[in-house]
Each structure stands twice: as structure tokens, then as C-alpha cells.
Amino acid sequence: MLSPDNIKIRYLRRARRGTIRILPDGSIRVTVPFGVAIESVNKFLLEKANWIEEKQKKLKKIQDIRKFQVIDGEFFEIYGERLQLKTIS
């Protein structure tokens, strides 16, 4: 899922090497030393494309797991104990 829309490139004078970070929204932030050519950044991203896609998939899976609906009367398990949700107004 390497599209230019979700890639942000940040140039830092103090950076010693290129780094890639997958943000919570799935976008990609690349930090590279100041003066690195865009062609080198593109090559770096292509070399790491599989890693990036794998991390984005893991992030999406985690976010999907975290989404759940809370319904009054719903049963769920915590530490092996079956509990029923009761809302108090």
C-alpha cells in the first residue's frame, strides 16, 4: 500500500540514517538526514515495501480487535470469569 498520499518525508539535520515509522492512521513517516536525494528515499521505501505492508496489516488487525460494541446485558469473559455488563444511568 505504498501510495504517495500516505507517505510523509521528514528531513532532519541530526538524523544519521533513514527510519520508517507506521503511524496509527496507517500512514508512513520517513525520516532521513538532511540533503538525501528523493531518489534515495524512494529506493529505501521500495526495499522496505514488504516490511511496511506487514506492519500496516498488523496495525489494522490490532485496531480491529480494539473495536467492540458495548451492549447492556452482553456477556464477556475476563480472566476466565464470565461477566454480564450492566449499565448504570
Side-chain angles (χ1 to χ4, degrees):
M1 295 190 221
L2 291 178
S3 89
D5 298 338
N6 69 350
I7 298 173
K8 304 286 185 259
I9 301 171
R10 190 168 71 160
Y11 291 93
L12 290 179
R13 291 186 191 278
R14 64 181 180 209
R16 294 185 178 193
R17 59 186 167 85
T19 60
I20 300 172
R21 185 167 183 202
I22 310 301
L23 302 177
D25 65 355
S27 65
I28 302 161
R29 183 170 67 197
V30 183
T31 303
V32 292
F34 191 76
V36 171
I38 191 70
E39 293 82 16
S40 296
V41 174
N42 289 335
K43 182 180 176 190
F44 179 53
L45 285 168
L46 287 174
E47 289 172 356
K48 300 295 182 181
N50 290 336
W51 179 88
I52 292 168
E53 289 179 15
E54 178 184 316
K55 295 300 177 188
Q56 285 176 324
K57 286 178 187 175
K58 283 184 181 179
L59 178 65
K60 175 137 176 53
K61 187 182 287 187
I62 289 169
Q63 289 172 341
D64 289 345
I65 290 170
R66 287 184 181 169
K67 293 178 188 175
F68 66 94
Q69 193 172 14
V70 178
I71 302 169
D72 188 36
E74 185 81 19
F75 286 93
F76 58 97
E77 278 194 38
I78 295 181
Y79 299 115
E81 187 176 346
R82 190 166 187 231
L83 302 171
Q84 185 177 19
L85 179 69
K86 299 275 186 186
T87 57
I88 301 171
S89 330

